[in-house]
Amino acid sequence: MKMNQKRKVFIQNLITYAIVIGCWIIIQIMIQTGNISSLLKGLLVPLCTYAILAVSLNLTVGILGELSLGHAGFMCVGAFSGAFFTNVAANVIPGTGLRLFFALLIGAAVAGIFGLLIGIPVLRLKGDYLAIVTLAFGEIIKNLINTLYVGVDAAGLHFSIKDTTSLGLDETGVVIIKGPQGITGTPKAATFTVGVIVLLITVFVVLNLINSRSGRAIMAIRDNRIAAESIGINVTKFKLMAFAISASLAGAAGVLYAHNLSSLAATTNNFGYNKSITILVFVVLGGLGNVRGSIIAAVILTLLPELLRGLNDYRMLIYAIVLIVMMIFNSSPKAIEMRAVLRERFKKKSKEAA
């Protein structure tokens, strides 16, 4: 029985990887044959970014069972730390691909550290209180970056919260972070292939964590914290682990996001609370704890507003209707019952055919 369960999990995970790789192959064929519009081509990296964010947030919301609205803040931390490294290391590491690789590692590491630092006091809270505090964290990060000026010259790094002139740079100095203007001149090194690779790594990390002893401990905490504590599970340790890994993966998504723009600014549109809520919508509609569902929901809901742009006033109305239909399909008891019946019929037909 245990071997059958492991085999079932392995096959399900394999299907998830196959879907991502299959989509990458189809898109590559469309690009090579010229059967892809410029609009869709420009959305490829953002699609990967939002899918990574949805999968990573599902680790906190779906697997750990904690409501976090600070994911845009971790994305912002990763984006600016990665873009900062890319610009500072331009003379040391000429290759943009290699700089992007190190930027992904640095962005993920910095966001993970922030996840640990924020998680230590925050994860003592629950429910709405946790959501409000994490939302406040995202807004604080965004506003702090908007007041920050950072430059580099022969003497090293210079910091200020006033303006660029107060940095005191010499004639060789370059301003990297320009307060509300953010970072400009970051090379657009993020490609669809890089995005898919990072997405596959994210899915691999999350799925393997879920199916590990640590993952089972995290889900035990989600289901019943008191029972988990009573059998010796270190609740603080596993909650921090899940929160930090989720933040780290969001930081990697932020690096991709930053390297797809020529100018990066900590605006409300880029890293505001609406962004965190949008990512949460992907997770909820895809199904809590459902990694594959998070990817599909992120792709559909990111593409839909752009594909409906020609309908002008009706675009957001259709988008809202699709959200309602998806929510009913995923959460309605009747819909769940109907899906179970159809699944059983399909299995029965497959056995008869075999």
Side-chain angles (χ1 to χ4, degrees):
M1 187 70 179
K2 194 173 181 181
M3 288 300 294
N4 288 337
Q5 183 65 24
K6 285 185 177 180
R7 185 183 175 189
K8 186 179 178 181
V9 169
F10 175 76
I11 291 171
Q12 289 297 320
N13 292 350
L14 209 60
I15 290 171
T16 305
Y17 298 132
I19 289 172
V20 175
I21 295 169
C23 289
W24 176 80
I25 292 170
I26 291 169
I27 293 294
Q28 289 300 320
I29 292 170
M30 290 174 68
I31 292 171
Q32 294 300 321
T33 55
N35 293 320
I36 188 169
S37 64
S38 57
L39 173 64
L40 183 57
K41 201 171 181 179
L43 284 173
L44 293 177
V45 175
L47 284 175
C48 294
T49 301
Y50 289 126
I52 294 165
L53 288 167
V55 172
S56 60
L57 183 60
N58 210 340
L59 180 58
T60 299
V61 178
I63 309 304
L64 180 60
E66 299 289 356
L67 180 59
S68 171
L69 291 177
H71 226 51
F74 297 123
M75 178 188 174
C76 183
V77 169
F80 274 86
S81 57
F84 181 80
F85 170 81
T86 298
N87 284 276
V88 168
N91 296 325
V92 181
I93 308 173
T96 55
L98 189 59
R99 272 187 287 158
L100 176 60
F101 172 74
F102 285 114
L104 284 166
L105 296 179
I106 289 169
V110 173
I113 291 168
F114 269 81
L116 277 174
L117 295 176
I118 298 299
I120 290 170
V122 162
L123 289 176
R124 298 175 185 274
L125 304 173
K126 293 181 181 180
D128 298 340
Y129 300 103
L130 176 62
I132 291 167
V133 172
T134 51
L135 181 64
F137 156 73
E139 291 299 302
I140 289 168
I141 287 293
K142 178 172 66 69
N143 286 289
L144 280 176
I145 290 174
N146 279 329
T147 62
L148 188 63
Y149 295 84
V150 182
V152 59
D153 60 12
L157 294 173
H158 298 258
F159 299 88
S160 174
I161 56 171
K162 292 182 180 179
D163 50 36
T164 54
T165 55
S166 60
L167 288 172
L169 299 173
D170 59 25
E171 61 277 1
T172 63
V174 178
V175 181
I176 306 295
I177 301 179
K178 305 169 185 176
Q181 296 179 19
I183 298 176
T184 56
T186 305
K188 295 181 74 173
T191 63
F192 179 54
T193 301
V194 174
V196 168
I197 291 170
V198 178
L199 175 58
L200 285 170
I201 293 170
T202 301
V203 172
F204 177 81
V205 169
V206 173
L207 288 178
N208 277 274
L209 177 62
I210 291 171
N211 297 313
S212 67
R213 290 183 64 186
S214 298
R216 288 190 289 273
I218 290 167
M219 287 185 281
I221 294 167
R222 175 196 65 191
D223 295 335
N224 193 320
R225 175 172 178 160
I226 296 172
E229 284 180 331
S230 68
I231 60 173
I233 293 175
N234 189 331
V235 173
T236 303
K237 170 189 168 183
F238 287 109
K239 287 180 77 171
L240 275 176
M241 177 193 294
F243 198 71
I245 292 172
S246 176
S248 181
L249 295 173
V255 176
L256 278 179
Y257 185 82
H259 287 76
N260 191 49
L261 301 170
S262 55
S263 178
L264 178 69
T267 62
T268 302
N269 288 336
N270 289 341
F271 305 109
Y273 62 87
N274 280 334
K275 184 74 74 177
S276 291
I277 293 170
T278 300
I279 302 164
L280 181 63
V281 169
F282 297 156
V283 173
V284 173
L285 291 183
L288 296 178
N290 188 339
V291 172
R292 194 189 310 161
S294 295
I295 297 171
I296 294 170
V299 170
I300 291 173
L301 296 180
T302 303
L303 280 176
L304 198 60
E306 301 302 327
L307 296 177
L308 297 174
R309 193 169 287 278
L311 297 176
N312 296 328
D313 296 337
Y314 299 102
R315 179 168 63 98
M316 296 313 294
L317 174 63
I318 297 170
Y319 180 77
I321 291 170
V322 171
L323 283 179
I324 294 168
V325 170
M326 288 181 69
M327 182 64 77
I328 292 171
F329 181 76
N330 280 327
S331 304
S332 169
K334 288 288 184 183
I336 294 169
E337 184 182 338
M338 183 183 69
R339 292 206 309 270
V341 170
L342 291 173
R343 197 179 299 116
E344 287 300 321
R345 286 181 182 176
F346 178 76
K347 286 180 180 178
K348 191 175 179 181
K349 286 181 180 180
S350 299
K351 287 180 180 177
E352 288 174 357

